Each structure stands twice: as C-alpha cells, then as structure tokens.
Amino acid sequence: MRKPRDFDSELKALADKAKQLKERRVRDLGALVTATGADALDADVLAGALLDAATNTDKATGEGWRKRGAAFFHGKSCDTANGPGQQPEGTLPLDGGAASA
C-alpha cells in the first residue's frame, strides 16, 4: 500500500526554499551595489537611477548598459587596467562577506 503524501510538509519545504532564494537574491543585489561602488550614492539618487533604468525604453541605452555590465562581470573596466585585482568571471568582490539586507 502506498504511503500517503504529506502535502503540508511539502508546501512548507517549498515555501522555505522560496524564502531562501529571495533572501539570496537580496544579498546578491546588495553585494552588486557594494561591488559597483553605488553604495556611496545617496539612497534617493540610487533609487532614482534604478527607476530610470527599469523604465528605460531606449534600446541603444539599454544595450550600452548591458555591455558595460558584462564587462564589469568579466573583470574588464575602462577605468583600470587588467591586473591581479580582477575577480574571476561571474563573481562579485565582497568586502568581509555578504551585504546585509
């Protein structure tokens, strides 16, 4: 005879996993803000820039941002030469761990 499924515990496990993923996303976004130096901006300025980026409809501007972001993640920068301070591809530099959310 089959054992009945415990839907309540499965739903709780899924809810816990979703919460963990959301918390990880928040930490990753905080780390990205810190890694780009945007944490030095006033919160109002940062929020305004993000709102502008989120509502951008100009494809050329968006493509420019995408290329610059890809270069950031690949450790390339127009401001600094390639050197030992680069991060491996796909990683963010973290100062003392993850940023608090």
Side-chain angles (χ1 to χ4, degrees):
M1 189 165 191
R2 288 181 70 180
K3 179 182 174 186
R5 289 177 67 176
D6 186 358
F7 290 109
D8 289 336
S9 65
E10 290 181 26
L11 284 173
K12 183 178 181 338
L14 286 173
D16 290 344
K17 180 69 174 177
K19 183 179 177 183
Q20 288 174 348
L21 290 172
K22 186 174 182 178
E23 288 171 354
R24 179 178 176 194
R25 181 178 169 94
V26 169
R27 279 194 312 271
D28 289 348
L29 288 172
L32 181 60
V33 168
T34 301
T36 60
D39 59 333
L41 296 173
D42 182 55
D44 292 338
V45 173
L46 180 58
L50 290 172
L51 288 169
D52 190 42
T55 59
N56 176 51
T57 57
D58 180 26
K59 292 190 186 291
T61 301
E63 181 62 17
W65 290 340
R66 188 202 61 76
K67 286 180 181 178
R68 192 166 179 196
F72 170 79
F73 284 113
H74 290 340
K76 300 173 187 167
S77 174
C78 298
D79 301 333
T80 60
N82 293 339
Q86 288 183 310
Q87 294 296 314
E89 183 175 327
T91 62
L92 294 175
L94 297 176
D95 297 325
S100 60

